Amino acid sequence: MNKYKVVWLCHFTNDYLNNYFGIEKKELSRWIDSFTNIVIGNEQLDIHIVAPNYWTHEDLVIKRENITYHLYRYIHTKNVRIGVLEQLFTKERYIKNKIKKIIDGIAPDVIHLFGSENMDYSCGILNYIGNKNVVISIQGHINKTKDKQAFPRNLVINYRKKLERKINSSFDTITISTKKPTSTYISDNYPNITCKRTLFFPTTIPQYHDNIEKKFDLVFWGRICREKGFIDLLDALHILKQEGHLVTLLVIGKLENASKNEIFEKIERYGIKEQIEFAGFMKDTNTMFLKAQEGRIYILPTHYDGMPGSVREAMHLQIPVITTPVGSLPNLNKENECVILSETGNIEKLGNNITRLLNDKELYDTLKKNAKEYANNNFSNKEILTQLLDLYKEISKRNGE
């Protein structure tokens, strides 16, 4: 039986390390922890997770069965005033050197990067351009977003776009979260990518309850920020109010600091405060899913994504979905209409789709039925371990040639 030594280059938080450090960090990249739960204890996998230390900002190695966490200090200056400028102009070299030292010491068979646009870790993969043992899991495409950001946020977005393009243009093997992609974005923009493999992202399978009262027209859960389309949603609620539709919204999740002022300023200016309930971040997912089922429609007008876990969860919960045609989301409608895909950034169409779904019971019931069937048939975690093992076997063999 072959054993594969694999580096996961990523970022995340989880309950295990929260308990280890005695420091509670809010949820980040839940799918990494879900992947961890799938592979832990597997005798064929020696997993080394290389990630920023968001708990104590120091270099640390923690062993947990067949998983080793290599956490590194990702902030190299004590001068907080230079903030974004420090990140853009000096941090990349520091991060690259830090990650190279860790990965070279591990000497892995496979290096698996999750996401190619993150400032805290993605640039580390640039040390390995030309290596045959690198695979990148695409989480979304920040280059698709057309957001106009003010200084200094625009510098961050532009840097992330440049980093994503550089990384995706430098390697030939990726994973995508669908078996039958409909988008040609990758082949059109990155002809160097010649090897695409299917790797489903783990889905938290929530418990559906048919007796929960629907108190809200819409529910949103996830990161509350411009990139997830939350500003677009507020704009749509404003237009609907002007048309006489007082649509109610339940919001669950972490409100990102970069968007906080803009969000509350718009809520106040639009006069929609009474239509929105902020339930906050809920650490216990069972409690969160119970609360989420108080909403009639799950809405995620995201600007860029892969196959968002929240959409998969909503489909399991039989909550009809309105989202956007980004990443792998169009695949959901390839055979039957399972979700409503609303044009990214088109506020008027978003509002129209909200009222259409709220008022069309036949469409509502059809989406509910189709989504449930699709989720049950396609969002299973049973295949993921096999997909990982097959992927790592192929790359290890190729690397040994």
Side-chain angles (χ1 to χ4, degrees):
M1 180 175 64
N2 292 327
K3 189 168 185 176
Y4 307 107
K5 184 186 290 187
V6 182
V7 160
W8 289 356
L9 184 55
C10 58
H11 77 164
F12 71 100
T13 60
N14 64 16
D15 288 341
Y16 178 82
L17 291 178
N18 283 346
N19 293 333
Y20 180 91
F21 289 108
I23 299 172
E24 190 69 26
K25 288 292 180 180
K26 289 187 177 181
E27 183 180 280
L28 176 67
S29 298
R30 191 193 329 162
W31 54 88
I32 295 296
D33 194 41
S34 298
F35 272 122
T36 300
N37 292 333
I38 289 171
V39 303
I40 194 164
N42 187 280
E43 294 181 357
Q44 288 186 262
L45 292 173
D46 178 16
I47 301 294
H48 294 259
I49 301 178
V50 179
N53 184 344
Y54 292 135
W55 291 267
T56 59
H57 308 294
E58 62 181 335
D59 297 338
L60 204 61
V61 176
I62 301 169
K63 182 73 175 174
R64 180 190 180 193
E65 296 189 41
N66 63 317
I67 296 172
T68 306
Y69 297 102
H70 301 261
L71 305 178
Y72 58 85
R73 179 183 176 187
Y74 67 101
I75 300 174
H76 71 290
T77 177
K78 295 181 179 179
N79 187 347
V80 296
R81 292 186 178 183
I82 62 175
V84 172
L85 297 178
E86 173 263 332
Q87 291 184 339
L88 294 176
F89 300 118
T90 66
K91 186 176 183 178
E92 181 177 315
R93 181 184 297 176
Y94 172 82
I95 294 293
K96 284 174 65 177
N97 291 339
K98 178 79 72 171
I99 289 174
K100 180 173 171 52
K101 183 177 180 180
I102 295 171
I103 293 180
D104 287 355
I106 297 168
D109 301 308
V110 179
I111 306 173
H112 190 165
L113 172 67
F114 290 85
S116 52
E117 80 297 336
N118 190 282
M119 296 176 67
D120 291 340
Y121 67 89
S122 297
C123 62
I125 203 67
L126 296 173
N127 295 307
Y128 302 97
I129 293 176
N131 283 29
K132 296 181 179 181
N133 66 335
V134 173
V135 58
I136 301 170
S137 283
I138 302 294
Q139 297 178 170
H141 298 285
I142 195 171
N143 274 279
K144 281 188 172 184
T145 182
K146 296 179 174 61
D147 287 354
K148 293 182 179 179
Q149 302 280 355
F151 178 86
R153 181 68 177 165
N154 64 321
L155 296 180
V156 175
I157 294 296
N158 290 337
Y159 170 82
R160 292 178 66 193
K161 286 182 175 182
K162 181 180 178 182
L163 180 62
E164 179 184 79
R165 289 195 301 269
K166 186 173 183 179
I167 290 174
N168 290 352
S169 299
S170 300
F171 299 93
D172 62 5
T173 303
I174 66 167
T175 73
I176 52 177
S177 56
T178 179
K179 291 181 179 179
K180 299 176 181 179
T182 58
S183 171
T184 60
Y185 179 82
I186 292 174
S187 56
D188 291 344
N189 290 274
Y190 303 108
N192 55 290
I193 295 177
T194 56
C195 183
K196 301 175 186 176
R197 295 294 178 261
T198 299
L199 176 62
F200 297 144
F201 272 43
T203 302
T204 302
I205 311 296
Q207 182 67 44
Y208 168 70
H209 298 271
D210 62 3
N211 59 345
I212 295 178
E213 180 186 356
K214 299 295 185 181
K215 300 178 182 178
F216 302 89
D217 296 315
L218 306 174
V219 58
F220 174 104
W221 68 86
R223 288 193 299 120
I224 306 166
C225 59
R226 172 177 282 277
E227 294 164 357
K228 292 295 183 181
F230 195 79
I231 301 297
D232 294 349
L233 177 53
L234 296 180
D235 292 341
L237 291 183
H238 175 53
I239 291 175
L240 291 174
K241 182 181 180 182
Q242 290 179 319
E243 295 174 351
H245 305 292
L246 299 181
V247 177
T248 56
L249 169 66
L250 170 63
V251 183
I252 304 171
K254 178 185 177 183
L255 180 58
E256 294 202 347
N257 289 332
S259 301
K260 185 180 293 186
N261 290 339
E262 183 181 13
I263 286 171
F264 286 119
E265 186 275 329
K266 284 206 169 191
I267 290 174
E268 189 70 29
R269 177 155 49 91
Y270 291 162
I272 56 176
K273 184 177 181 180
E274 299 303 317
Q275 298 168 230
I276 303 174
E277 177 180 312
F278 284 92
F281 172 79
M282 295 184 177
K283 184 175 184 294
D284 181 75
T285 54
N286 291 326
T287 302
M288 188 272 285
F289 289 134
L290 283 172
K291 184 68 175 175
Q293 289 176 78
E294 295 179 8
R296 292 190 64 206
I297 298 168
Y298 175 65
I299 188 157
L300 182 72
T302 179
H303 291 193
Y304 67 93
D305 247 308
M307 178 64 75
S310 56
V311 169
R312 290 175 271 144
E313 292 159 359
M315 293 169 72
H316 274 294
L317 288 171
Q318 300 181 48
I319 305 174
V321 174
I322 298 174
T323 185
T324 49
V326 300
S328 297
L329 286 167
N331 291 302
L332 298 176
N333 289 347
K334 193 165 187 180
E335 296 179 1
N336 297 300
E337 188 176 18
C338 295
V339 301
I340 289 180
L341 296 174
S342 193
E343 182 183 345
T344 311
N346 190 322
I347 309 304
E348 184 176 350
K349 283 190 177 180
L350 182 61
N352 290 339
N353 283 323
I354 290 171
T355 54
R356 178 164 68 101
L357 189 52
L358 285 173
N359 296 320
D360 190 334
K361 186 177 187 305
E362 183 178 352
L363 174 61
Y364 186 92
D365 291 340
T366 298
L367 291 177
K368 186 175 175 180
K369 174 179 175 291
N370 290 347
K372 176 187 175 183
E373 291 178 357
Y374 188 98
N376 288 338
N377 293 333
N378 293 275
F379 298 146
S380 168
N381 294 335
K382 295 178 182 178
E383 292 186 62
I384 294 176
L385 181 58
T386 301
Q387 290 172 345
L388 283 171
L389 289 171
D390 289 346
L391 175 68
Y392 297 154
K393 178 181 179 181
E394 176 188 345
I395 294 175
S396 295
K397 183 178 179 181
R398 185 176 67 190
N399 191 40
E401 293 176 351

